[in-house]
Amino acid sequence: MKILFVCLGNICRSPLAEGILLAKAAEKGLDIEVESAGFESYHINEPPDERAVKICDRYGIDIKENKCRLFTVEDFDKFDRIYVMDSGNYRDVQYFSRHEEDMQKVSYLLSVIDGKNQAVPDPYYGGEEGFENVYQLINNACGKIVEKIEQKQL
Ligand code: 4NP
Protein backbone atom coordinates (compact mmCIF):
# COMPACT_ATOMS: atom_id res chain seq x y z
CA MET A 1 0.00 0.00 0.00
CA LYS A 2 1.40 3.38 -1.03
CA ILE A 3 -0.21 6.49 0.42
CA LEU A 4 0.40 10.15 -0.44
CA PHE A 5 -0.78 13.07 1.69
CA VAL A 6 -1.25 16.41 -0.03
CA CYS A 7 -1.64 19.93 1.33
CA LEU A 8 -0.78 23.39 0.02
CA GLY A 9 2.68 24.12 1.43
CA ASN A 10 3.88 20.58 2.31
CA ILE A 11 5.39 21.98 5.49
CA CYS A 12 2.51 21.71 7.99
CA ARG A 13 -0.43 19.33 7.49
CA SER A 14 0.83 16.74 5.00
CA PRO A 15 4.25 16.12 6.63
CA LEU A 16 2.39 15.77 9.96
CA ALA A 17 0.12 13.16 8.38
CA GLU A 18 3.11 11.36 6.83
CA GLY A 19 4.93 11.19 10.18
CA ILE A 20 1.85 10.11 12.13
CA LEU A 21 0.84 7.37 9.69
CA LEU A 22 4.39 6.02 9.46
CA ALA A 23 4.58 5.88 13.26
CA LYS A 24 1.24 4.04 13.52
CA ALA A 25 2.20 1.62 10.75
CA ALA A 26 5.52 0.87 12.47
CA GLU A 27 3.67 0.16 15.76
CA LYS A 28 1.45 -2.36 13.99
CA GLY A 29 4.19 -3.82 11.81
CA LEU A 30 2.40 -2.75 8.62
CA ASP A 31 4.54 -2.56 5.51
CA ILE A 32 3.38 0.63 3.77
CA GLU A 33 5.01 3.48 1.90
CA VAL A 34 4.01 7.02 2.80
CA GLU A 35 5.01 10.36 1.33
CA SER A 36 3.67 13.90 1.25
CA ALA A 37 3.62 16.70 -1.31
CA GLY A 38 2.26 20.20 -1.90
CA PHE A 39 1.47 22.80 -4.54
CA GLU A 40 3.30 25.91 -3.35
CA SER A 41 6.92 26.30 -4.38
CA TYR A 42 7.91 28.71 -1.55
CA HIS A 43 9.42 26.04 0.68
CA ILE A 44 10.77 23.38 -1.70
CA ASN A 45 13.49 21.21 -0.11
CA GLU A 46 12.92 22.84 3.28
CA PRO A 47 12.08 20.85 6.42
CA PRO A 48 8.57 21.17 7.90
CA ASP A 49 7.44 24.31 9.77
CA GLU A 50 9.04 24.39 13.23
CA ARG A 51 5.59 24.34 14.88
CA ALA A 52 4.79 21.08 13.06
CA VAL A 53 8.16 19.64 14.11
CA LYS A 54 7.47 20.68 17.72
CA ILE A 55 4.01 19.16 17.99
CA CYS A 56 5.29 15.88 16.52
CA ASP A 57 8.21 15.91 18.96
CA ARG A 58 5.69 16.19 21.78
CA TYR A 59 4.13 12.92 20.64
CA GLY A 60 7.46 11.17 19.99
CA ILE A 61 7.46 11.53 16.21
CA ASP A 62 10.42 12.96 14.31
CA ILE A 63 9.56 14.72 11.02
CA LYS A 64 12.64 16.98 10.83
CA GLU A 65 14.16 15.06 7.94
CA ASN A 66 11.15 15.54 5.65
CA LYS A 67 11.90 17.70 2.61
CA CYS A 68 9.17 19.75 0.98
CA ARG A 69 8.33 18.71 -2.58
CA LEU A 70 5.70 19.51 -5.18
CA PHE A 71 2.92 17.17 -6.31
CA THR A 72 3.55 15.73 -9.79
CA VAL A 73 1.36 13.87 -12.26
CA GLU A 74 3.52 10.75 -11.73
CA ASP A 75 2.17 10.62 -8.17
CA PHE A 76 -1.07 9.25 -9.61
CA ASP A 77 0.90 6.25 -10.90
CA LYS A 78 3.11 5.82 -7.87
CA PHE A 79 0.45 5.87 -5.12
CA ASP A 80 -2.62 3.73 -4.38
CA ARG A 81 -4.39 6.37 -2.28
CA ILE A 82 -4.03 10.17 -2.26
CA TYR A 83 -5.46 12.10 0.69
CA VAL A 84 -6.01 15.85 0.47
CA MET A 85 -6.57 18.24 3.36
CA ASP A 86 -9.07 20.70 1.86
CA SER A 87 -11.07 21.73 -1.18
CA GLY A 88 -8.20 23.80 -2.62
CA ASN A 89 -5.91 20.78 -2.57
CA TYR A 90 -8.69 18.68 -4.12
CA ARG A 91 -9.06 21.13 -7.00
CA ASP A 92 -5.28 21.31 -7.48
CA VAL A 93 -5.00 17.52 -7.66
CA GLN A 94 -8.00 17.38 -10.00
CA TYR A 95 -6.30 19.87 -12.31
CA PHE A 96 -3.34 17.47 -12.66
CA SER A 97 -5.51 14.39 -13.19
CA ARG A 98 -5.54 12.77 -16.63
CA HIS A 99 -8.63 10.59 -16.36
CA GLU A 100 -11.29 9.36 -13.96
CA GLU A 101 -9.10 6.55 -12.57
CA ASP A 102 -6.63 9.15 -11.27
CA MET A 103 -9.37 10.87 -9.25
CA GLN A 104 -10.69 7.55 -7.93
CA LYS A 105 -7.55 7.42 -5.79
CA VAL A 106 -8.21 10.84 -4.26
CA SER A 107 -10.22 11.64 -1.15
CA TYR A 108 -10.42 14.14 1.68
CA LEU A 109 -8.38 12.85 4.62
CA LEU A 110 -11.16 13.45 7.15
CA SER A 111 -13.65 11.51 5.03
CA VAL A 112 -12.05 8.30 6.35
CA ILE A 113 -13.67 9.09 9.70
CA ASP A 114 -17.28 9.83 8.75
CA GLY A 115 -17.49 9.93 4.94
CA LYS A 116 -17.81 13.74 4.96
CA ASN A 117 -15.56 15.95 2.88
CA GLN A 118 -14.47 18.23 5.69
CA ALA A 119 -11.23 20.19 5.68
CA VAL A 120 -8.23 19.88 7.93
CA PRO A 121 -7.83 23.64 8.54
CA ASP A 122 -4.60 25.29 7.43
CA PRO A 123 -2.68 26.13 10.64
CA TYR A 124 0.09 28.11 8.89
CA TYR A 125 -1.15 31.62 9.68
CA GLY A 126 -2.38 30.86 13.21
CA GLY A 127 -0.74 30.12 16.53
CA GLU A 128 0.60 26.92 18.04
CA GLU A 129 -2.83 25.88 19.37
CA GLY A 130 -3.93 25.40 15.75
CA PHE A 131 -1.25 22.76 15.39
CA GLU A 132 -2.57 20.81 18.39
CA ASN A 133 -6.04 20.80 16.82
CA VAL A 134 -4.71 19.75 13.43
CA TYR A 135 -2.55 17.06 15.06
CA GLN A 136 -5.59 15.52 16.76
CA LEU A 137 -7.70 15.59 13.57
CA ILE A 138 -4.94 13.98 11.52
CA ASN A 139 -4.12 11.49 14.28
CA ASN A 140 -7.73 10.27 14.35
CA ALA A 141 -7.85 9.98 10.58
CA CYS A 142 -4.56 8.07 10.44
CA GLY A 143 -5.87 5.68 13.11
CA LYS A 144 -8.81 4.96 10.80
CA ILE A 145 -6.52 4.44 7.81
CA VAL A 146 -4.52 1.86 9.76
CA GLU A 147 -7.76 0.10 10.77
CA LYS A 148 -8.90 0.03 7.15
CA ILE A 149 -5.57 -1.38 5.98
CA GLU A 150 -5.70 -4.08 8.67
CA GLN A 151 -9.25 -4.97 7.66
CA LYS A 152 -8.26 -4.92 3.97
CA GLN A 153 -10.83 -2.19 3.26
CA LEU A 154 -8.40 0.16 1.61
P1 4NP B 1 0.30 23.47 4.74
O1 4NP B 1 0.36 24.99 5.28
O2 4NP B 1 -0.45 23.50 3.43
O3 4NP B 1 -0.42 22.73 5.80
O4 4NP B 1 1.76 23.04 4.59
C1 4NP B 1 0.91 26.02 4.50
C2 4NP B 1 2.26 26.24 4.56
C3 4NP B 1 2.83 27.27 3.82
C4 4NP B 1 2.02 28.04 3.02
C5 4NP B 1 0.66 27.81 2.96
C6 4NP B 1 0.10 26.79 3.69
N1 4NP B 1 2.58 29.10 2.28
O5 4NP B 1 1.82 29.79 1.59
O6 4NP B 1 3.81 29.29 2.34
Side-chain angles (χ1 to χ4, degrees):
M1 175 62 61
K2 295 180 183 169
I3 293 177
L4 181 69
F5 292 110
V6 173
C7 65
L8 178 60
N10 190 216
I11 56 166
C12 298
R13 294 165 292 175
S14 61
L16 258 169
E18 178 183 346
I20 292 171
L21 184 60
L22 280 172
K24 287 188 187 300
E27 264 172 34
K28 302 271 183 173
L30 290 180
D31 183 23
I32 61 173
E33 283 184 36
V34 187
E35 288 186 26
S36 63
F39 287 97
E40 273 295 353
S41 46
Y42 297 138
H43 299 283
I44 291 175
N45 278 328
E46 290 179 15
D49 185 284
E50 60 184 25
R51 296 163 296 174
V53 171
K54 197 168 154 191
I55 191 86
C56 280
D57 262 355
R58 191 176 302 153
Y59 292 100
I61 296 172
D62 182 0
I63 61 168
K64 281 192 302 292
E65 303 307 320
N66 197 76
K67 290 275 176 289
C68 173
R69 75 156 171 97
L70 293 177
F71 181 86
T72 71
V73 71
E74 288 79 28
D75 286 325
F76 286 116
D77 301 322
K78 185 163 175 206
F79 293 94
D80 303 303
R81 302 286 323 156
I82 298 172
Y83 290 108
V84 301
M85 302 295 154
D86 61 32
S87 58
N89 312 150
Y90 190 90
R91 279 195 296 273
D92 285 340
V93 170
Q94 198 166 34
Y95 180 78
F96 274 74
S97 67
R98 301 154 297 186
H99 37 64
E100 189 48 39
E101 291 90 85
D102 283 347
M103 286 312 287
Q104 279 166 7
K105 297 183 172 186
V106 183
S107 40
Y108 282 61
L109 175 58
L110 294 189
S111 74
V112 301
I113 294 173
D114 57 7
K116 294 183 184 158
N117 291 340
Q118 276 169 343
V120 178
D122 188 344
Y124 185 64
Y125 293 105
E128 290 200 7
E129 66 290 351
F131 280 80
E132 178 67 41
N133 175 46
V134 158
Y135 186 95
Q136 296 306 335
L137 289 171
I138 292 175
N139 191 49
N140 287 342
C142 287
K144 265 283 186 225
I145 290 173
V146 165
E147 264 177 50
K148 282 178 189 268
I149 294 172
E150 287 180 320
Q151 293 164 3
K152 307 213 178 310
Q153 289 173 357
L154 205 65

